[in-house]
Amino acid sequence: MFTVNLLPLAALLALSTYTVANGIPVVVSPGLNSSSNPNVTANIPSCTNLTNNAPSPYCYTKLQETAYLTNWNLTSPELCAPDELWSTCFLRSVYGKPGPNCTTLTNDTKTCEQYNCTSLSPSTALCPKPTAANSTEGATAETAEEWYGAWNVYALRLHISTWSAALSANTSTKSILAAVKPRVPNTATFLLTTLIFKYGLDTAKNADAALIKLLEVPTGRPEPAYGNARVRGESSTLTGLQWQLALRMRLGQVLDLAMGRFEVFLGAVEGGAYSAKELASVRNLTRSLEDH
């Protein structure tokens, strides 16, 4: 005869369990009885409640956002002007602005809204933060799928511009120069990868990983390499200010690629890397670069 020692009820309730909701693994909070509800709604955000719960990486997957964006890209070419960025066209379609007659970005908002998400400025009215359809202000999206698409455009641009602003701070030059490898050629891509990996914040790990992946996308032109002979007591080929300019230029190239080439953008956002409420702030990222 075997003797089975049962854990006390309190101990059983303290154990976290794992279940599946609509095919997506979800951690259920301790103490909840998942057997009473096969879909387990506890701790699962409502992906259609954009006011309180969005954004969420879980919802990016649940809403099949990659499939939605891909379908939009395949079926909506008639909405876009020949010389228009896909991201500009997408935001116009989401926010209900005019179609193909918008051939250029003009000041005439009656015919064309000025959506452009290629600026490295930390704040720009041309790439608005999306709001829910029932909102009374801002750029509103009608469906959850549209909202998540617009959010990822907004968040990717904001994340890249946040890194640009933090690296441009006077207090960041020390960390930048410390990352330059001695006596070998250095590129802005190499330096950015090193700095993002070392100084990135925990709240933006997935977004930082996606940004490093973006840096690997070829631009179609050779990247300048700069030497550094600090080991021999000589000065670096580039000063701290010059490196800051080089890093900003490289981030600008990456942003242009993502906003101009749909497949590059999709490769960065799929999986929900940018579907998060708080990625990183300029202040906290600058502090991280300064403190190390």
Side-chain angles (χ1 to χ4, degrees):
M1 179 180 294
F2 294 96
T3 301
V4 179
N5 295 320
L6 296 176
L7 289 172
L9 178 60
L12 288 172
L13 290 177
L15 296 176
S16 295
T17 60
Y18 293 83
T19 188
V20 172
N22 297 319
I24 304 172
V26 178
V27 180
V28 182
S29 295
L32 294 175
N33 182 5
S34 62
S35 61
S36 64
N37 183 358
N39 290 325
V40 187
T41 58
N43 281 358
I44 304 176
S46 170
C47 297
T48 56
N49 185 349
L50 302 176
T51 303
N52 298 324
N53 297 319
S56 164
Y58 164 81
C59 289
Y60 183 97
T61 302
K62 181 174 171 31
L63 293 170
Q64 300 182 358
E65 192 65 23
T66 292
Y68 162 77
L69 290 169
T70 301
N71 182 67
W72 180 91
N73 188 56
L74 292 174
T75 60
S76 304
E78 70 279 359
L79 298 176
C80 309
D83 59 346
E84 188 176 25
L85 297 176
W86 82 266
S87 52
T88 296
C89 181
F90 175 75
L91 292 183
R92 285 197 300 102
S93 70
V94 167
Y95 298 143
K97 301 304 176 182
N101 62 326
C102 174
T103 56
T104 59
L105 295 173
T106 69
N107 291 322
D108 186 1
T109 55
K110 293 181 180 179
T111 59
C112 177
E113 189 72 10
Q114 292 188 75
Y115 295 124
N116 190 323
C117 294
T118 60
S119 171
L120 284 177
S121 172
S123 177
T124 172
L126 302 184
C127 193
K129 180 179 179 180
T131 57
N134 60 355
S135 175
T136 58
E137 59 182 24
T140 59
E142 292 297 323
T143 68
E145 290 82 3
E146 289 180 347
W147 189 94
Y148 268 86
W151 174 271
N152 276 271
V153 172
Y154 163 81
L156 187 149
R157 190 212 70 82
L158 182 63
H159 185 60
I160 293 177
S161 66
T162 296
W163 267 106
S164 176
L167 289 168
S168 299
N170 293 334
T171 54
S172 299
T173 55
K174 183 178 179 180
S175 294
I176 292 173
L177 290 176
V180 179
K181 282 200 169 184
R183 304 178 67 178
V184 296
N186 290 269
T187 65
T189 295
F190 166 78
L191 222 59
L192 283 169
T193 301
T194 301
L195 292 166
I196 292 169
F197 182 80
K198 185 174 182 179
Y199 299 109
L201 304 179
D202 289 342
T203 55
K205 281 184 176 180
N206 292 335
D208 283 343
L211 178 51
I212 290 175
K213 184 179 177 181
L214 272 175
L215 287 165
E216 298 172 355
V217 177
T219 62
R221 64 185 68 174
E223 186 177 1
Y226 307 95
N228 180 19
R230 285 187 294 112
V231 164
R232 297 192 300 269
E234 301 172 17
S235 61
S236 170
T237 302
L238 295 185
T239 65
L241 290 176
Q242 289 172 326
W243 268 119
Q244 286 178 313
L245 177 60
L247 298 182
R248 288 199 303 271
M249 290 179 61
R250 184 69 184 96
L251 287 172
Q253 289 178 339
V254 169
L255 183 57
D256 286 344
L257 278 174
M259 295 306 165
R261 288 169 49 183
F262 173 79
E263 69 278 6
V264 173
F265 170 85
L266 192 64
V269 304
E270 62 181 347
Y274 287 97
S275 296
K277 288 184 178 180
E278 300 294 338
L279 294 177
S281 67
V282 174
R283 179 180 179 182
N284 290 339
L285 197 52
T286 302
R287 184 177 299 167
S288 178
L289 286 159
E290 180 182 358
D291 290 344
H292 288 71

